[in-house]
Amino acid sequence: MTTVSASRSRSYLPLTISMIVSLVLLINVSFKIIEIQGMMFTASSLVCPLVAIIYLLVLKQCNFIQQRHVLHQSLLALYLFSIGIYLLVNLPAAEYMHDNPAYQIVFEDIPKKFFASTLAFGLSFYLPHLLCCAKRKEVLRSPKKRLLLALSGGFFFFSLDFYFLFSEPHVHSFNRIYVDSLMVAAGILFSTGIIYLGCLLFIRHLRWPFKKAVPSYLLHPLYHYLVGFAVTIMLICLACEYRLVSFSNEWTMAASGLLFPLTFLVSNLIGELYGYKANLYFTVVLMLTELAFDLLLMGAVALPSPEFFNLNPFYSFIIPRRIPAATLALFVTFISNALCLEHLKKTELGQSRGWRILIANVVATSLLCLVNYSLLFGGIYPYEQILNLTVNAWIYKLAATVFGLPVVLWLYNLLCKQAQRGPSLLSR
């Protein structure tokens, strides 16, 4: 493989995850309004240009097939995140969660946020790329045309998203907020264009060769889709981590625990299809994604808001506590799962794929419940309630592991052949 294709294969996954994180961040802060020195603008005026910048890097670093994969995964992530949040929010809440104003703010108008972000992304990036680049590949070879495509997409993305979110009903000071937000977004986009053109002029011949060979698993489209799916599920779980749902008087759980077993399914498939190192790389991606998302979210909500639209108190309380808890829990959980899957292969019992996956998942699930719930809810709920949440979560995840094992084995057999045919798609 040439240096160029190696570079593209390495940058493809980070750019995909960056795009997914930015779009999910946009949904989370859709109604966040910032007030600084007399200017009143939306957080989307900061996030939408970020999406455009990532899109510009995708156009520069990835080939056409990879670009389509990035856009496909981003659109799928928007669908999956919005549907997942909507389902978890509409589950019966625990008694002490009823009428909680924090959650009324955080999960307000999920369908409206989904409609705005998805339609704006499709009309601004997805369809223009398909129409302009599919038959006219010279657009991708021209730096100026790539820049024009990205900046125009960013401008329309912000404008459409803002209109769909705030036009009906009109938010307080609608016209003022739109003009100020447009100035902020346009300033970021134009600054990006100037920096990009300057780089083309002054560092045209600079190259960043990768001396190490690209790991084989990074050449498989299936690996990227599995990682993207797991990242989206993790972001759903992060959004609902402090929401408690109750199915009976004695069965209360954190809503995040309902979908989290799907990430174990992905870890199992990656470990069995691509091996130990691919599973470790997957763990690193999850941890870095969680850190990046929480830090960006904390930075966005830390900006001052007008009194009529202030979301800061809730986020300022949960994010500093969640960052160390989630990071440590992800590290312990998926490292232990990867280690168990690898080392159990050397034992007699571990020769059976089913037993190997079952044992590894039970160990990882136990560590997850022990670490995550003690750090996440300690000091918020009484000890007895934390113990009840931990036990309920452990039982549920154990049942999900047992009943999901046939699904994992079936998917492994189904995907094994496809994984062997993947490299040609990403190395073109």
Side-chain angles (χ1 to χ4, degrees):
M1 180 181 292
T2 64
T3 301
V4 174
S5 59
S7 173
R8 287 179 174 180
S9 296
R10 287 183 181 275
S11 58
Y12 166 55
L13 183 59
L15 289 174
T16 303
I17 300 303
S18 300
M19 183 72 81
I20 291 174
V21 169
S22 300
L23 292 172
V24 171
L25 178 67
L26 177 63
I27 293 180
N28 276 265
V29 298
S30 289
F31 293 121
K32 166 74 176 180
I33 296 177
I34 303 166
E35 186 175 25
I36 298 179
Q37 295 184 350
M39 290 189 68
M40 194 179 297
F41 54 94
T42 62
S44 63
S45 64
L46 303 175
V47 180
C48 290
L50 176 61
V51 175
I53 293 171
I54 297 172
Y55 179 63
L56 178 61
L57 294 175
V58 170
L59 294 178
K60 182 180 183 299
Q61 296 293 332
C62 302
N63 59 41
F64 177 75
I65 294 177
Q66 292 171 337
Q67 292 167 17
R68 294 310 300 171
H69 279 306
V70 172
L71 294 174
H72 288 327
Q73 287 186 256
S74 301
L75 201 57
L76 288 173
L78 281 173
Y79 276 94
L80 182 60
F81 182 83
S82 299
I83 293 172
I85 292 293
Y86 185 78
L87 291 176
L88 293 182
V89 167
N90 284 280
L91 290 174
E95 287 297 327
Y96 36 86
M97 296 295 297
H98 288 171
D99 300 323
N100 189 320
Y103 278 97
Q104 292 174 9
I105 294 173
V106 175
F107 301 123
E108 182 182 12
D109 286 335
I110 289 295
K112 189 174 185 178
K113 293 180 181 180
F114 164 72
F115 173 79
S117 57
T118 304
L119 190 58
F121 181 79
L123 294 176
S124 303
F125 296 113
Y126 190 89
L127 288 179
H129 182 271
L130 182 63
L131 297 175
C132 296
C133 303
K135 296 181 179 180
R136 301 175 60 186
K137 298 295 179 63
E138 65 273 9
V139 173
L140 299 177
R141 291 190 288 267
S142 170
K144 294 180 181 178
K145 290 181 179 179
R146 290 197 300 257
L147 178 63
L148 180 61
L149 189 63
L151 295 188
S152 60
F155 174 79
F156 285 112
F157 183 45
F158 161 73
S159 298
L160 290 173
D161 184 72
F162 185 94
Y163 177 78
F164 291 140
L165 285 174
F166 295 106
S167 61
E168 186 64 36
H170 275 280
V171 72
H172 182 70
S173 304
F174 174 85
N175 293 331
R176 175 191 172 188
I177 293 174
Y178 176 71
V179 172
D180 289 351
S181 300
L182 186 62
M183 291 174 59
V184 171
I188 296 174
L189 291 172
F190 287 140
S191 300
T192 300
I194 294 172
I195 294 172
Y196 180 78
L197 293 175
C199 292
L200 291 178
L201 290 175
F202 297 108
I203 55 175
R204 181 187 300 271
H205 301 292
L206 187 62
R207 295 290 183 268
W208 301 94
F210 289 89
K211 297 181 180 180
K212 293 184 179 180
V214 177
S216 60
Y217 54 83
L218 288 181
L219 302 177
H220 292 260
L222 177 60
Y223 180 82
H224 295 264
Y225 276 87
L226 287 173
V227 174
F229 173 77
V231 163
T232 307
I233 293 297
M234 182 194 68
L235 293 175
I236 295 173
C237 295
L238 288 176
C240 297
E241 202 150 29
Y242 280 94
R243 180 174 179 82
L244 303 183
V245 296
S246 180
F247 300 100
S248 67
N249 293 333
E250 298 181 356
W251 192 264
T252 301
M253 285 183 58
S256 60
L258 297 175
L259 294 181
F260 199 78
L262 293 174
T263 59
F264 280 107
L265 182 146
V266 173
S267 179
N268 296 332
L269 288 174
I270 288 176
E272 295 299 317
L273 287 170
Y274 304 108
Y276 174 64
K277 291 185 178 180
N279 220 351
L280 291 182
Y281 189 86
F282 165 70
T283 303
V284 172
V285 170
L286 283 184
M287 292 176 58
L288 292 179
T289 301
E290 179 269 326
L291 282 172
F293 176 76
D294 277 343
L295 290 175
L296 286 172
L297 185 60
M298 187 166 62
V301 300
L303 296 171
S305 295
E307 289 301 323
F308 66 87
F309 231 85
N310 192 0
L311 311 182
N312 293 7
F314 175 72
Y315 281 110
S316 299
F317 174 73
I318 67 168
I319 298 297
R321 171 184 288 268
R322 190 173 75 187
I323 290 177
T327 304
L328 182 60
L330 288 172
F331 175 79
V332 171
T333 300
F334 290 101
I335 289 293
S336 62
N337 193 59
L339 286 171
C340 289
L341 287 175
E342 178 66 17
H343 291 288
L344 283 172
K345 294 178 182 178
K346 304 174 184 178
T347 65
E348 183 176 352
L349 183 61
Q351 294 299 314
S352 169
R353 179 170 287 110
W355 280 109
R356 183 167 67 242
I357 293 174
L358 180 61
I359 295 172
N361 285 186
V362 170
V363 172
T365 296
S366 302
L367 291 173
L368 169 65
C369 294
L370 181 64
V371 173
N372 192 48
Y373 286 91
S374 59
L375 294 177
L376 204 62
F377 297 116
I380 298 179
Y381 298 121
Y383 171 78
E384 294 79 8
Q385 192 170 354
I386 296 175
L387 181 61
N388 182 57
L389 289 171
T390 304
V391 172
N392 289 344
W394 186 81
I395 294 173
Y396 171 80
K397 289 182 172 66
L398 185 61
T401 298
V402 173
F403 289 106
L405 185 58
V407 178
V408 175
L409 297 177
W410 175 74
L411 286 174
Y412 171 81
N413 294 326
L414 181 66
L415 299 176
C416 192
K417 294 182 180 180
Q418 296 182 13
Q420 297 173 356
R421 299 197 302 264
S424 60
L425 291 176
L426 293 184
S427 57
R428 292 175 184 174

